Amino acid sequence: MTTATVPSTSDQRIVLSGRTWEQFKLIQQGFEDSPGMRLAYYKGTIEIIMPGREHEVFKSLIGFLLELFFVERGIEFEPTGAMTQERERVVSAQADESYCIGTSKPTPDLVVEVVFTSGGAAKLQRYQALGVPEVWFWQDGLFSLYRLRTDGYERIERSEIPELATLDLELLTRCVLMGDSRLEAIRKFRQAIRQA
């Protein structure tokens, strides 16, 4: 008899404090063959996240809709997904989605984080250390956007990435929340982009 494993709907999170960069690298090596695991390091703290089903559904839908916007508007982009971004011995992070807009760059222009179990403040510190210009959080059915300034991130109402300035965040939010049918959400989003 075969037993099917039902994926967890909620994220699982482990935080280890007082750890060195070398310890982080050893843990990272140990998880090399574990797809979907997210590891982060900053100021001696290691975070291991095992995303749940809901997290992955929202992450994928947001990514798909953003990429649809890029395609419909003729915006060149490079999807860098959950690639590991690091500054040796300082910080390591894996976003849920990330993008270089226009041309390929070592640091993505935009990082998107879906937050179910861990807050954004610590993640903002990581991305500041990496120099990511803009970070978006999806939490509790809303987007919150942050732009990197000289003294840290500042909350903004709309993207300051020129190519995303015309993106209707209310429309994007409504479409992400259309839980009944992802196909219908995508159709509505595409239709609205084409009519704008």
Side-chain angles (χ1 to χ4, degrees):
M1 183 168 122
T2 306
T3 305
T5 303
V6 178
S8 173
T9 58
S10 61
D11 294 353
Q12 297 175 34
R13 180 176 175 245
I14 299 169
V15 177
L16 307 169
S17 299
R19 307 302 166 128
T20 66
W21 179 259
E22 290 74 21
Q23 288 171 319
F24 168 69
K25 295 313 271 181
L26 286 171
I27 291 171
Q28 195 177 45
Q29 284 177 359
F31 282 111
E32 277 181 349
D33 296 326
S34 301
M37 300 289 283
R38 303 270 162 71
L39 282 88
Y41 176 88
Y42 185 64
K43 289 192 174 180
T45 300
I46 298 171
E47 182 180 47
I48 304 166
I49 296 178
M50 295 148 279
R53 183 184 183 108
E54 281 183 278
H55 180 281
E56 293 300 281
V57 166
F58 280 106
K59 172 200 85 76
S60 296
L61 182 57
I62 291 166
F64 187 90
L65 293 174
L66 282 174
E67 290 172 23
L68 179 61
F69 179 82
F70 295 143
V71 169
E72 289 292 327
R73 289 294 167 96
I75 298 167
E76 191 61 57
F77 70 101
E78 180 181 55
T80 50
M83 75 170 190
T84 301
Q85 303 170 56
E86 288 186 343
R87 272 186 55 210
E88 187 75 20
R89 302 190 160 281
V90 176
V91 63
S92 179
Q94 292 176 292
D96 288 317
E97 297 289 349
S98 61
Y99 299 93
C100 293
I101 312 296
T103 59
S104 182
K105 304 167 189 80
T107 302
D109 298 296
L110 172 64
V111 156
V112 179
E113 287 281 354
V114 174
V115 180
F116 277 101
T117 58
S118 56
K123 291 183 179 192
L124 279 177
Q125 291 173 352
R126 290 180 211 150
Y127 291 122
Q128 182 176 347
L130 289 163
V132 175
E134 203 162 287
V135 179
W136 296 8
F137 291 106
W138 171 262
Q139 187 172 16
D140 298 328
L142 295 169
F143 282 102
S144 51
L145 283 60
Y146 294 86
R147 186 71 186 183
L148 185 58
R149 308 287 188 217
T150 5
D151 55 346
Y153 282 99
E154 178 186 347
R155 179 100 184 247
I156 56 175
E157 293 301 314
R158 66 177 35 255
S159 177
E160 291 185 11
I161 297 170
E163 294 86 349
L164 288 171
T166 61
L167 176 64
D168 183 342
L169 283 173
E170 288 181 22
L171 168 68
L172 179 61
T173 301
R174 280 195 313 273
C175 290
V176 172
L177 290 172
M178 289 179 67
D180 295 345
S181 169
R182 259 99 15 230
L183 186 57
E184 187 58 27
I186 292 163
R187 285 181 179 149
K188 283 190 184 247
F189 190 70
R190 177 187 285 137
Q191 182 181 18
I193 294 170
R194 289 180 174 175
Q195 290 174 348

Coordinates of all heavy atoms in Angstrom, one line a residue, residues 19 35 51 68 133 135 164-165 178 196:
R19 N 25.5 31.9 15.2 CA 26.2 31.0 14.3 C 27.2 31.8 13.4 O 27.0 33.0 13.1 CB 25.3 30.3 13.3 CG 24.2 29.5 14.1 CD 24.7 28.5 15.1 NE 23.7 28.1 16.0 CZ 23.4 26.8 16.2 NH1 24.1 25.8 15.6 NH2 22.4 26.5 17.1
P35 N 15.5 20.6 -2.8 CA 14.8 21.7 -3.6 C 13.7 22.3 -2.8 O 13.0 21.6 -2.1 CB 14.3 21.0 -4.9 CG 14.3 19.6 -4.6 CD 15.3 19.3 -3.5
P51 N 8.9 26.3 2.6 CA 7.6 26.9 2.2 C 6.5 25.9 2.1 O 6.7 24.8 1.6 CB 7.9 27.5 0.9 CG 9.4 27.6 0.8 CD 9.9 26.4 1.6
L68 N 3.8 38.4 -16.9 CA 2.8 38.7 -17.9 C 2.7 40.2 -18.2 O 2.7 40.6 -19.3 CB 1.4 38.2 -17.4 CG 0.2 38.5 -18.4 CD1 0.4 37.8 -19.7 CD2 -1.1 38.0 -17.7
P133 N 17.6 47.3 -4.9 CA 16.9 48.6 -4.9 C 15.5 48.6 -4.4 O 15.0 49.6 -3.8 CB 17.0 49.0 -6.4 CG 18.1 48.2 -7.0 CD 18.2 46.9 -6.2
V135 N 12.1 46.2 -2.8 CA 11.6 44.9 -2.2 C 10.1 45.0 -2.0 O 9.6 46.0 -1.5 CB 12.3 44.6 -0.8 CG1 11.7 43.3 -0.2 CG2 13.8 44.5 -1.0
L164 N 8.0 49.7 -14.1 CA 6.8 49.2 -13.3 C 5.9 50.4 -12.8 O 5.0 50.1 -12.1 CB 7.3 48.4 -12.1 CG 7.9 47.0 -12.5 CD1 8.6 46.4 -11.3 CD2 6.8 46.2 -13.0
A165 N 6.3 51.6 -13.2 CA 5.5 52.8 -12.7 C 4.0 52.7 -13.1 O 3.2 53.2 -12.3 CB 6.2 54.1 -13.2
M178 N -7.9 36.3 -6.3 CA -9.0 35.6 -6.9 C -8.7 34.1 -6.7 O -8.2 33.4 -7.6 CB -9.1 35.9 -8.4 CG -9.7 37.3 -8.6 SD -9.7 37.7 -10.4 CE -11.0 36.6 -11.0
A196 N -5.5 49.3 -20.8 CA -4.9 50.5 -20.1 C -4.2 51.4 -21.1 O -3.7 51.0 -22.1 CB -4.0 50.1 -19.0

